[in-house]
Amino acid sequence: MKRKTLNTIIYYTVVTLIAIFMVYPALWMLSSSFKQPWEIFGDILNLIPKEPTLNNYKEGWQGFGGITFATFFKNSFIIAGLNTIGTVISSTIVAYGLSRIPFPGRRIIFTTVILTLMLPMQVQIVPRYILFSKIGWINTFYPLIVPAFLGGPFFIFMVMQFIRGIPKELDESAFIDGADRIKIFYHIILPNLKPVITTAAIFAFYWAWNDFMGPLVYLNSPEKYPVSVALRAFSDPSAVTNWGAVFAMSTLSLIPVLVIFVLFQKYIVQGVTTTGLRG
Amino acid sequence: MKKLTKKKKHDILMGYLFTSPWILGFLFFIVFPLVTSLYLSFTRYDILSAPRWIGLQNWVRMFTQDPRFWNATKATFKYVIFEVPLRLLFAFIVALIFSQRESKILNLYRAIYYIPSLIGGSVAIAVVWRQIWGYPDGIVNAILSIFGLRGINWLGDTRTAIWTLILLAVWQFGSPMLIFLAALKQVPTELYEAATIDGANFWGRLFKITIPMVTPVILFNLINQMIHAFMAFTQSYIITQGGPLDSTLFYAVYMYRKAFNDFEMGYASALAWFMLALVGIFTVIIFKTSNRWVYYEAEEGV
């Protein structure tokens, strides 16, 4: 009995110590965002601000070049929001076609989905930039949104895995009742996909929200920047930086991500474990 | 009979209709750009004027006249070789710790451990990371000074800078951890019971049962993480800007600079294709060697 208690104590000490390492940087950022400028680097290890202030948030929100963070957040929400909608709609449709409808070429299409899973975005960015500049899409949101409407391989695969678990008999009986593939998709499959659609939407939103390289490449006027690129411009190492303001805006930039995490934790764990989504 | 063919026709039409978004996207946003860039890798192209065919010049320049290309390749390899195994090791150990017990509070801990994976790739955390290792007044140096140790310029030293980036990535072991945890829970408990009766201790069970049973998941994580690591960008771009002396110049950052700072699109295309080939080769090698160490249940006992 005594040994068991000791084990439990050791166990929880270890997991708590690791937990501190895991959250410390985020906590430090949060606390610095409420610190006075002299306190941020003067009293670096103290997590509780001595003279808490909201000034960093006020100053940070002003942004730079006359553009406030309201614009950057709006841009991020537009890009990530449309990206999410596009990914979910297109990936669901494609996944249904690939997993339930027998037609010639289905295997080849599925193979391209799997191969693309292994194709890093960074390798495609130069040729895509050239393509988008030819069609006049540079410095617009289109390069960051339109491809999402044509299906993401991760999400197609993820929805396909889920559809596998829906009994085929449902399709068959609906077919005997005279429903065609579109009706079966809309009335039978789609209502059953809610959990996986939620999961896909969360991840699509995360990736689009955190994406840095895409907007950095495709956008060049600051009023179109999403938060990620704005933060980097805001904390440019070659300029004098108001660090308090940077930490305040950094904190704000993480709020949507953390709120979604708290609300949908179950789906996120499911999504990671079933498909190994990076994160 | 007639109805069947009608159904078949309907299916063929619907099959293409439903998959048409992917087919279009694949052709426009993947095949077309890849083929174009392969062509461009043999040209000199600055976007403004037409591409000019220069044969193998870009490739020759890459391998023989561009020390920065080698620096980038070296830094990226170093990063991949240390980051991927370390991250997987941590993910596995922590998943193992979690799999030992079950309680509500552990679910909370699991959530906390996942947070870095959510926010770690963000610009916000990259900015914070720069402060953590800052010189002379970063957090790490402040902690060292408590113990009377003199801090060093972690980000300014060619020996340490890359390790700060590796550590940042290892810190985000959340998603492989969750995958390992799911796999560990699926190992049949009968196996452990039988092994315990046979006198196997914790380590015996770990190396004879647990690890072999999760090797398919290790393979999956390994490939996933490797592809991801080869293309790391944000951390290097924001935290170290590739420095000092190119010691953290990640390949993706170098490619980005060639393309979007120097507007050498042809050369950048060659860089992209070299990396694509490299990632492909490594993936194939890992797959090929995997049947030596990956244990598939279905094959056993046949």
Side-chain angles (χ1 to χ4, degrees):
Chain A
M1 187 65 201
K2 224 177 176 183
R3 200 180 149 183
K4 218 175 165 185
T5 328
L6 186 71
N7 276 343
T8 307
I9 292 171
I10 294 173
Y11 186 86
Y12 280 99
T13 314
V14 170
V15 288
T16 308
L17 278 177
I18 303 175
I20 292 170
F21 274 105
M22 300 308 276
V23 291
Y24 184 81
L27 284 183
W28 184 82
M29 178 180 70
L30 179 71
S31 101
S32 297
S33 75
F34 292 109
K35 281 179 176 174
Q36 305 281 359
W38 50 266
E39 223 183 324
I40 294 177
F41 296 112
D43 196 3
I44 196 159
L45 292 177
N46 201 348
L47 280 186
I48 298 156
K50 285 200 185 80
E51 291 172 41
T53 170
L54 284 173
N55 256 343
N56 295 326
Y57 284 87
K58 268 186 223 146
E59 284 166 22
W61 194 258
Q62 296 312 311
F64 51 87
I67 308 154
T68 68
F69 263 84
T71 307
F72 303 136
F73 273 95
K74 195 189 76 195
N75 294 340
S76 271
F77 275 111
I78 292 174
I79 295 169
L82 289 176
N83 196 297
T84 308
I85 293 168
T87 303
V88 166
I89 293 176
S90 59
S91 303
T92 311
I93 290 173
V94 174
Y96 171 71
L98 281 179
S99 47
R100 279 299 217 259
I101 308 174
F103 67 95
R106 181 165 80 149
R107 270 198 159 271
I108 297 170
I109 298 172
F110 178 68
T111 310
T112 64
V113 173
I114 297 301
L115 281 179
T116 321
L117 267 175
M118 299 196 171
L119 192 64
M121 180 63 217
Q122 282 83 337
V123 172
Q124 305 167 54
I125 207 148
V126 172
R128 278 195 184 193
Y129 178 87
I130 294 165
L131 171 74
F132 292 134
S133 78
K134 288 281 171 238
I135 54 179
W137 279 10
I138 297 305
N139 207 24
T140 70
F141 290 163
Y142 295 128
L144 302 167
I145 293 166
V146 174
F149 278 85
L150 298 174
F154 268 109
F155 300 106
I156 294 172
F157 183 65
M158 183 176 180
V159 180
M160 283 183 75
Q161 297 281 79
F162 192 88
I163 291 179
R164 252 182 223 168
I166 303 172
K168 256 195 166 145
E169 290 75 30
L170 284 178
D171 296 34
E172 306 296 336
S173 63
F175 189 80
I176 291 162
D177 290 344
D180 61 12
R181 291 289 180 187
I182 295 179
K183 280 196 181 122
I184 294 172
F185 171 67
Y186 192 75
H187 293 289
I188 312 251
I189 302 292
L190 204 53
N192 278 303
L193 292 182
K194 262 187 206 152
V196 73
I197 286 179
T198 314
T199 312
I202 294 164
F203 280 100
F205 185 84
Y206 276 165
W207 293 359
W209 186 270
N210 276 338
D211 184 22
F212 173 66
M213 198 187 196
L216 180 72
V217 167
Y218 298 131
L219 303 174
N220 38 45
S221 40
E223 73 268 10
K224 291 199 173 120
Y225 284 174
V227 177
S228 57
V229 181
L231 271 182
R232 131 91 199 174
F234 202 39
S235 62
D236 194 325
S238 59
V240 179
T241 302
N242 177 352
W243 285 109
V246 169
F247 294 137
M249 292 306 105
S250 297
T251 305
L252 287 188
S253 78
L254 295 180
I255 285 179
V257 173
L258 291 173
V259 167
I260 292 173
F261 180 59
V262 171
L263 293 179
F264 298 104
Q265 213 224 99
K266 200 176 83 187
Y267 291 99
I268 292 165
V269 172
Q270 238 170 40
V272 173
T273 49
T274 49
T275 57
L277 292 164
R278 68 197 146 123
Chain B
M1 201 60 196
K2 215 179 166 188
K3 203 169 177 197
L4 196 78
T5 50
K6 206 178 145 199
K7 188 190 176 190
K8 257 190 185 155
K9 261 190 194 157
H10 172 74
D11 277 351
I12 292 172
L13 182 72
M14 284 300 142
Y16 286 112
L17 185 74
F18 273 94
T19 50
S20 60
W22 172 258
I23 298 172
L24 281 177
F26 182 70
L27 294 177
F28 275 112
F29 295 131
I30 292 169
V31 174
F32 177 72
L34 281 181
V35 172
T36 320
S37 78
L38 185 61
Y39 162 72
L40 288 176
S41 74
F42 300 105
T43 67
R44 181 166 298 141
Y45 183 43
D46 60 4
I47 275 219
L48 297 170
S49 42
R52 206 159 51 83
W53 184 265
I54 53 167
L56 284 172
Q57 272 184 41
N58 285 329
W59 295 87
V60 172
R61 176 181 159 199
M62 229 162 82
F63 293 123
T64 60
Q65 295 148 26
D66 186 358
R68 302 204 80 191
F69 159 78
W70 289 112
N71 290 348
T73 309
K74 232 167 64 191
T76 308
F77 265 106
K78 197 168 172 189
Y79 179 75
V80 172
I81 284 167
F82 288 104
E83 185 255 351
V84 176
L86 279 175
R87 190 192 234 191
L88 291 185
L89 186 68
F90 266 86
F92 186 79
I93 290 172
V94 174
L96 205 60
I97 292 175
F98 276 129
S99 71
Q100 301 301 306
R101 286 160 190 249
E102 222 159 313
S103 78
K104 273 251 155 64
I105 188 116
L106 279 182
N107 289 340
L108 180 71
Y109 275 114
R110 198 183 57 187
I112 291 174
Y113 285 27
Y114 189 70
I115 285 177
S117 300
L118 281 178
I119 61 174
S122 66
V123 172
I125 289 300
V127 168
V128 170
W129 211 254
R130 213 159 70 195
Q131 301 310 323
I132 289 179
W133 300 94
Y135 182 77
D137 52 0
I139 295 171
V140 174
N141 286 336
I143 293 172
L144 287 179
S145 73
I146 294 175
F147 299 103
L149 296 164
R150 252 229 338 259
I152 68 163
N153 190 355
W154 302 95
L155 297 173
D157 192 315
T158 50
R159 285 164 306 176
T160 51
I162 199 163
W163 287 98
T164 66
L165 301 186
I166 290 171
L167 213 62
L168 173 58
V170 173
W171 178 61
Q172 303 165 48
F173 59 72
S175 47
M177 171 195 77
L178 289 179
I179 299 169
F180 277 136
L181 193 56
L184 289 175
K185 281 188 176 160
Q186 272 165 15
V187 177
T189 43
E190 299 95 75
L191 288 180
Y192 291 122
E193 281 155 16
T196 311
I197 291 166
D198 290 347
N201 61 7
F202 173 80
W203 298 106
R205 292 194 300 263
L206 178 66
F207 287 106
K208 293 272 155 57
I209 299 171
T210 314
I211 292 178
M213 290 297 281
V214 297
T215 42
V217 178
I218 296 177
L219 172 68
F220 175 82
N221 273 336
L222 182 66
I223 293 199
N224 231 350
Q225 301 292 330
M226 182 199 69
I227 294 173
H228 201 51
F230 261 120
M231 285 292 123
F233 176 79
T234 312
Q235 309 88 316
S236 161
Y237 187 80
I238 292 181
I239 301 172
T240 56
Q241 289 93 46
L245 294 173
D246 289 353
S247 65
T248 63
L249 182 68
F250 287 172
Y251 201 88
V253 174
Y254 185 57
M255 210 164 70
Y256 170 87
R257 285 191 189 159
K258 277 289 152 212
F260 303 107
N261 291 347
D262 306 344
F263 283 97
E264 294 191 47
M265 292 290 175
Y267 192 59
S269 299
L271 289 172
W273 268 91
F274 178 70
M275 183 42 66
L276 188 61
L278 220 53
V279 171
I281 289 168
F282 271 84
T283 310
V284 170
I285 289 174
I286 293 178
F287 263 121
K288 289 271 178 206
T289 55
S290 71
N291 42 26
R292 293 199 192 160
W293 56 271
V294 173
Y295 169 89
Y296 291 107
E297 223 175 330
E299 287 169 4
E300 192 72 358
V302 175

